[in-house]
């Protein structure tokens, strides 16, 4: 027993010792962690802590000049130039970067400040707070290998702090990096109608005509422009943006600094912009609206007066009915006395009360009838009043909806002009620009400007050789292979009238509508177009509801169709064969145009003269140019067209004249002819041998 007690005491003692050891270790770990934290804080102490709200002004060096930004109310201003467009967000970022700055290392007892380039600091930042306290930060050398920078505080170079070189990066840049830049005007390319470029190297004008087609004018000549190229030029305006801000208030005598006193080029754009209509129009509409409301109110008052008069009339009728009823009561009393209490109907009751009196079977029949009459009159009046209220509410709701629609601002399209003056090349790889005679100077990248500059009218030429819609063609004269051909176009117009019944018909009855057929270029319709272009449709229930039940009406619709037919030298010509050739002819597109003079010693292989229905003529000649191109000459313009494309055109015309079929037939017959010739030669040889023998 004694042995067990000793063991128990020993175990308890060990447990106490272990518990004490655990508590001691835990306390040591906590103390060590606290020491490490304190050591870390000592290694990276916070050296600058300035609340943004406390900053009154901040001064630092920009472009080798000291610039001060100070608070004016809630906004930052440049102290010596209050009109300068300060970028508020940019300065707020500068100030917030000073909220908490920690040193990665601290160098004490520094004897030579030049060792860290703090004798001639790269920048000096001076921060003044609302209470007048000033903090001066000098920025010295940057260590590129460690991405660190050396600074001192309040010009005490005996202690140098090492911070990350990104700590003060927001203070770098030019003055206009701290300015709020403008935005290049927004231009909807779909509204652009004209682009003029007047430059030292070249000048041209791209403009839409009254039919909305692009034309190009250059060197005193105007001709059709390539639509895709002109549209692309206009679309470029939507992506133009300023590259950098240079001067917010450039005086006229300063323009020469940027080459804008005599611009390198000037780009003028005519376009339209959607804007709200002027307020005067809104006021006039509001006045008109008030007058309409007043008129509506007058109509409602008049309706109320009419309703009141009707009610008064009903009351007078009730009074008459009461007087008649009193008379009837006396008659009833006399009748009662004569019949000894037997109930009977009063035959002398007014006709208007007869129905009511028949509905009642007691001695108070006439009184009950009178009550019913009054009740009916009241119901009628009340129902009329309710209808009037509902109508007024409906009209009020409609007026409210109209007012809401009218309250929406109306817009209109107004003409605008954008003028871009382009100056010298800038250091950022662009050019200085001035927009709409503004005093602000910006740069725009040369990539954006090259879309407009350095171009000539030749860059926008339309390379379609000769286009004339078949709908406008009258005659086509062709010289091919030394022979002349003439194609005449005839037009037959037909009208088809169809009666369309609008009512007194069943809903499922079919009605026939005639539709007009449009003749596409080169796709002429043969036969009776009126018969081929009809469609049927069902009369819907909605259409039936809208008809007049009292009478039967009918509407007549008509359509006009034009059928083109062709003759070649007076003989009928297959439409499909001709349109195949004609499509190739009018859709001929060149690879490029010659600007040099073109002369050919040979005659053209094909000459085509178009004459339209107004008598206007256009002639194009096709010459063999080289191994790759044919030269298509029209109005002294020379187009170089792919040779294979022109060959296909010639083959299509041979199908029109029938020459292609003849050639194919001849090629088919040639092998047989050759065989016959060979046989003849063989027979002749044999005969000669026989003679010799």
């Amino acid at each position: 027993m004694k042995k067990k007690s000793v063991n128990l005491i020993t175990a308890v003692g060990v447990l106490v010792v272990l518990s004490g050891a655990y508590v001691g270790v835990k306390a040591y770990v906590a103390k060590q962690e606290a020491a490490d934290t304190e050591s870390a804080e000592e290694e990276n102490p916070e050296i600058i802590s300035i609340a943004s709200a406390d900053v009154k002004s901040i001064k630092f060096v920009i472009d080798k000049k000291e610039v001060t930004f100070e608070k004016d109310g809630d906004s930052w201003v440049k102290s010596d130039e209050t009109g300068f467009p300060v970028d508020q967000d940019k300065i707020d970022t500068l100030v917030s970067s000073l909220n908490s700055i920690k040193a990665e290392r601290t160098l004490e007892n520094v004897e030579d400040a030049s060792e860290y380039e703090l004798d001639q600091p790269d920048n000096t930042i001076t921060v003044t707070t609302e209470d007048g306290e000033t903090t001066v930060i000098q920025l010295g050398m940057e260590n590129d290998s460690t991405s660190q920078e050396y600074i001192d505080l309040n010009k005490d170079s005996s202690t140098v702090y090492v911070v990350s070189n990104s700590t003060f990066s927001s203070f770098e840049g030019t003055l206009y990096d701290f300015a709020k830049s403008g935005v290049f005007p927004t231009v909807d390319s779909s509204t652009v109608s004209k682009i003029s470029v007047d430059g030292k190297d070249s000048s041209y004008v791209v403009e839409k005509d009254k039919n909305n087609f692009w034309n190009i004018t250059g060197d005193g000549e105007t001709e059709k422009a390539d639509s895709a190229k002109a549209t692309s030029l206009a679309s470029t305006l939507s992506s133009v943006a300023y590259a950098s801000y240079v001067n917010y208030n450039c005086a006229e005598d300063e323009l020469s600094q940027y080459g804008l006193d005599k611009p390198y080029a000037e780009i003028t754009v005519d376009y339209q912009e959607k804007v709200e209509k002027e307020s005067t129009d809104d006021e006039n509409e509001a006045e008109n609206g008030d007058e309409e409301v007043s008129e509506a109110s007058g109509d409602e008052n008049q309706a109320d007066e009419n309703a009141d008069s009707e009610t008064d009339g009903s009351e007078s009728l009730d009074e008459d009915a009461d007087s008649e009823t009193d008379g009837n009561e006396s008659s009833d009393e006399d009748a009662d006395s004569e019949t000894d209490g037997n109930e009977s109907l009063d035959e002398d009751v007014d006709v208007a009360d007869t129905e009511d009196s028949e509905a009642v079977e007691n001695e108070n029949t006439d009184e009950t009838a009178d009550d019913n009459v009054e009740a009916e009159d009241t119901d009628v009046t009340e129902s009329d009043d309710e209808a009037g209220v509902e109508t007024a509410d409906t009209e009020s709701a409609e007026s409210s909806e109209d007012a809401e629609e009218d309250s929406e601002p109306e817009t209109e399209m107004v003409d605008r002009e954008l003028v871009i003056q382009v100056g010298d090349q800038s250091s950022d790889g662009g050019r200085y620009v001035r927009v709409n005679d503004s005093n602000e100077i910006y740069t725009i990248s040369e990539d954006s400007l090259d879309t407009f500059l350095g171009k000539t009218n030749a860059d926008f030429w339309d390379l379609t050789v000769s286009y004339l819609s078949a709908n406008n063609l009258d005659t086509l004269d062709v010289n091919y292979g030394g022979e002349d051909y003439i194609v005449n176009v005839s037009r037959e117009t037909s009208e088809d009238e169809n009666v369309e019944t609008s009512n007194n018909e069943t809903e499922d009855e079919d009605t026939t509508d005639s539709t007009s057929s449009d003749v596409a270029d080169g796709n002429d319709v043969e036969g009776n177009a009126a018969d081929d272009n009809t469609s049927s449709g069902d009369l819907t229930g909605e259409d039936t509801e809208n008809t007049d039940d009292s009478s039967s009406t009918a509407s007549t619709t008509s359509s006009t169709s034009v059928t083109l037919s062709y003759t070649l030298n007076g003989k009928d010509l297959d439409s499909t064969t001709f349109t195949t050739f004609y499509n190739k002819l009018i859709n001929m597109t060149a690879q490029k145009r010659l600007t040099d003079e073109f002369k050919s010693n040979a005659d053209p292989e094909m000459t085509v003269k178009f004459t339209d229905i107004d008598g206007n003529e256009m002639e194009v000649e096709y010459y063999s140019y080289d191994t790759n191109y044919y030269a298509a000459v029209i109005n002294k313009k020379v187009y170089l067209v792919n040779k294979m494309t022109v060959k296909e055109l010639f083959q299509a015309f041979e199908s029109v004249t029938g020459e292609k079929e003849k050639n194919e037939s001849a090629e088919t017959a040639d092998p047989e002819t050759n065989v016959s010739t060979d046989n003849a030669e063989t027979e002749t040889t044999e005969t000669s041998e026989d003679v010799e023998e």
Side-chain angles (χ1 to χ4, degrees):
M1 184 69 180
K2 184 176 181 181
K3 185 176 181 180
K4 290 181 179 180
S5 298
V6 171
N7 291 338
L8 180 60
I9 292 172
T10 302
V12 171
V14 171
L15 180 60
V16 171
V17 171
L18 292 175
S19 298
Y22 171 74
V23 172
V25 170
K26 185 176 181 181
Y28 173 78
V29 170
K31 185 176 181 181
Q32 189 64 34
E33 288 178 352
D36 292 342
T37 301
E38 183 177 355
S39 175
E41 290 179 351
E42 290 178 356
E43 289 180 1
N44 297 288
E46 186 177 63
I47 57 175
I48 299 173
S49 178
I50 304 174
S52 299
D54 295 339
V55 178
K56 174 62 178 176
S57 67
I58 184 167
K59 179 173 64 175
F60 55 99
V61 177
I62 303 176
D63 296 333
K64 299 181 179 180
K65 295 180 181 179
E66 284 191 339
V67 178
T68 302
F69 297 99
E70 59 184 10
K71 257 308 181 47
D72 182 10
D74 295 331
S75 302
W76 292 100
V77 296
K78 189 168 177 282
S79 61
D80 60 341
E81 196 176 6
T82 57
F84 185 84
V86 178
D87 188 334
Q88 302 296 317
D89 294 336
K90 185 81 173 182
I91 304 303
D92 285 340
T93 301
L94 295 182
V95 173
S96 62
S97 68
L98 304 174
N99 292 163
S100 178
I101 296 177
K102 294 182 178 181
E104 296 181 358
R105 283 192 302 147
T106 302
L107 307 176
E108 297 180 347
N109 301 320
V110 175
E111 296 181 356
D112 186 3
S114 63
E115 192 176 338
Y116 305 102
E117 297 182 2
L118 288 169
D119 56 332
Q120 295 179 345
D122 184 57
N123 202 341
T124 300
I125 303 169
T126 303
V127 184
T128 304
T129 58
E130 293 287 351
D131 58 7
E133 185 178 347
T134 299
T135 301
V136 179
I137 309 167
Q138 292 189 134
L139 309 183
M141 180 182 70
E142 285 191 24
N143 189 333
D144 293 333
S145 61
T146 61
S147 298
Q148 293 176 326
E149 184 175 18
Y150 299 93
I151 69 169
D152 66 22
L153 297 178
N154 298 321
K155 298 184 178 181
D156 180 10
S157 298
S158 61
T159 302
V160 176
Y161 302 97
V162 181
V163 297
S164 169
N165 62 0
S166 63
T167 304
F168 299 98
S169 60
S170 56
F171 289 84
E172 299 173 356
T174 65
L175 177 62
Y176 279 88
D177 287 329
F178 300 94
K180 183 68 175 179
S181 173
V183 180
F184 188 82
T186 301
V187 178
D188 183 354
S189 61
S190 65
T191 68
V192 174
S193 59
K194 182 179 179 181
I195 301 175
S196 303
V197 177
D198 184 9
K200 292 181 178 180
D201 296 336
S202 64
S203 300
Y204 62 89
V205 177
V206 179
E207 183 176 13
K208 285 183 178 179
D209 60 19
K210 61 182 180 180
N211 296 318
N212 216 33
F213 292 120
W214 288 103
N215 292 319
I216 175 69
T217 300
D219 299 329
E221 295 184 359
T222 299
E223 57 182 285
K224 185 179 179 182
D226 185 291
S227 177
K229 293 179 180 178
T231 302
S232 176
L233 184 70
S235 299
T236 303
L237 291 164
S238 61
S239 61
V240 176
Y242 294 133
S244 60
Y245 201 179
V246 178
N247 193 332
Y248 84 97
N249 189 21
C250 180
E252 289 294 325
D253 58 357
E254 295 177 330
L255 292 174
S256 59
Q257 299 178 22
Y258 312 106
L260 291 169
D261 55 333
K262 296 178 181 179
Y264 170 75
E266 186 169 281
I267 305 169
T268 304
V269 181
D270 293 348
Y271 67 103
Q272 287 189 318
E273 183 181 14
K274 182 185 290 185
V275 298
E276 291 186 9
K277 284 188 175 181
E278 296 181 0
S279 59
T280 53
D281 295 337
D282 297 336
E283 291 174 0
N284 292 334
E285 291 175 2
E287 291 176 0
N288 294 334
D290 292 339
E291 291 176 0
E292 291 175 359
V293 171
S294 300
E295 291 176 0
S297 300
D299 293 340
E300 291 176 2
N301 294 334
Q302 185 65 33
D304 293 339
E305 291 176 359
N306 293 337
D308 293 338
S309 63
E310 291 176 1
T311 304
D312 295 339
S314 299
E315 292 176 355
S316 63
L317 290 174
D318 292 339
E319 292 176 357
D320 294 339
D322 291 339
S323 62
E324 291 178 0
T325 303
D326 294 338
N328 292 334
E329 287 177 353
S330 61
S331 299
D332 291 338
E333 290 175 358
D334 294 339
D336 290 340
S337 61
E338 292 177 358
T339 56
D340 296 329
N342 293 327
E343 296 179 355
S344 64
L345 296 175
D346 184 5
E347 296 178 357
D348 297 329
V349 176
D350 188 88
V351 177
D353 298 329
T354 301
E355 295 179 358
D356 296 327
S357 61
E358 289 176 353
V360 183
E361 296 180 354
N362 52 48
E363 60 183 2
N364 296 325
T365 299
D366 296 323
E367 294 178 358
T368 306
D370 181 52
D371 293 337
N372 290 337
V373 170
E374 292 180 354
E376 289 177 359
D377 293 337
T378 303
D379 292 340
V380 171
T381 303
E382 290 177 354
S383 64
D384 290 341
D385 291 341
E386 290 175 358
V389 171
E390 291 177 359
T391 303
D393 291 341
T394 304
E395 292 177 353
S396 176
E398 292 176 353
S399 300
S400 177
E401 292 177 358
D402 293 340
E404 289 179 359
E405 293 178 357
D406 293 341
S407 64
E408 295 181 1
E410 294 187 11
T411 59
E412 61 181 349
M413 300 299 290
V414 297
D415 294 333
R416 297 285 192 230
E417 184 180 67
L418 172 67
V419 179
I420 309 170
Q421 292 179 327
V422 182
D424 294 339
Q425 291 182 326
S426 57
S427 58
D428 62 359
R431 282 186 177 272
Y432 297 109
V433 297
R434 180 190 188 194
V435 176
N436 292 338
D437 291 331
S438 170
N439 292 332
E440 297 182 345
I441 308 298
Y442 296 90
T443 64
I444 293 180
S445 68
E446 284 204 275
D447 289 340
S448 297
L449 294 173
D450 282 347
T451 307
F452 302 92
L453 307 180
K455 298 288 191 294
T456 65
N457 58 327
D459 293 307
F460 299 96
W461 279 338
D462 180 24
L463 296 179
T464 302
V465 176
S466 55
Y467 180 86
L468 177 64
S469 169
N471 292 330
N472 296 323
L473 179 66
D474 184 41
T475 60
L476 188 72
D477 295 270
V478 182
N479 181 281
Y480 179 67
E483 296 187 20
D484 292 327
Y485 303 88
I486 181 169
V487 177
N488 289 288
V489 183
S490 300
R491 291 169 174 78
E492 182 180 352
T493 303
S494 60
E495 292 188 0
D496 182 25
E497 294 187 353
N498 297 288
V499 177
E500 188 176 296
T501 304
S502 60
N503 67 352
N504 291 340
E505 300 288 347
T506 59
E507 293 183 0
D508 295 330
E509 184 174 353
D510 292 340
T511 59
T512 303
D513 297 328
S514 176
T515 59
S516 61
S517 62
D518 296 327
V519 181
D521 294 342
N523 296 316
D524 306 316
V525 181
E526 291 188 324
N528 190 336
D531 294 337
D532 295 337
N533 292 281
T534 59
S535 61
S536 62
D538 295 333
L539 186 65
T540 63
E542 182 179 356
D543 295 333
T544 305
E545 291 176 1
N546 293 331
T547 58
D548 185 2
D549 295 332
S550 62
S551 62
S552 175
T553 60
S555 62
T556 302
T557 61
S558 63
S559 64
T560 302
S561 59
V562 178
T563 303
L564 302 183
S565 58
Y566 310 94
T567 61
L568 176 64
N569 293 340
K571 296 181 180 180
D572 290 341
L573 178 60
D574 179 67
S575 175
T576 303
T577 303
F578 175 74
T579 54
T580 299
F581 159 71
Y582 194 73
N583 279 333
K584 292 181 181 294
L585 179 63
I586 63 175
N587 292 315
M588 186 71 67
T589 304
Q591 303 293 317
K592 55 185 176 179
R593 263 176 60 177
L594 285 180
T595 55
D596 298 333
E597 184 180 0
F598 170 76
K599 289 183 179 181
S600 176
N601 296 325
D603 293 333
E605 294 189 22
M606 175 180 278
T607 301
V608 181
K609 184 174 74 174
F610 302 81
T611 303
D612 66 17
I613 55 179
D614 295 325
N616 301 312
E617 295 181 350
M618 175 175 62
E619 185 174 280
V620 56
E621 298 173 327
Y622 286 91
Y623 297 87
S624 179
Y625 183 74
D626 58 20
T627 56
N628 297 318
Y629 298 106
Y630 264 87
V633 181
I634 177 172
N635 296 330
K636 297 182 179 179
K637 298 172 186 174
V638 182
Y639 299 85
L640 295 184
V641 187
N642 183 280
K643 200 159 193 173
M644 292 303 298
T645 305
V646 178
K647 289 290 186 182
E648 291 176 1
L649 174 70
F650 293 166
Q651 292 174 3
F653 186 69
E654 289 173 359
S655 296
V656 172
T657 62
E659 290 296 324
K660 183 177 181 181
E661 288 74 8
K662 292 180 181 179
N663 294 335
E664 289 176 351
S665 299
E667 290 175 0
T668 304
D670 281 343
E672 297 178 358
T673 303
N674 293 334
V675 170
S676 300
T677 303
D678 293 339
N679 292 336
E681 290 177 353
T682 303
E683 291 176 357
T684 303
T685 303
E686 292 176 353
T687 303
S688 300
E689 292 175 354
D690 292 340
V691 170
E692 290 177 357
E693 291 176 358

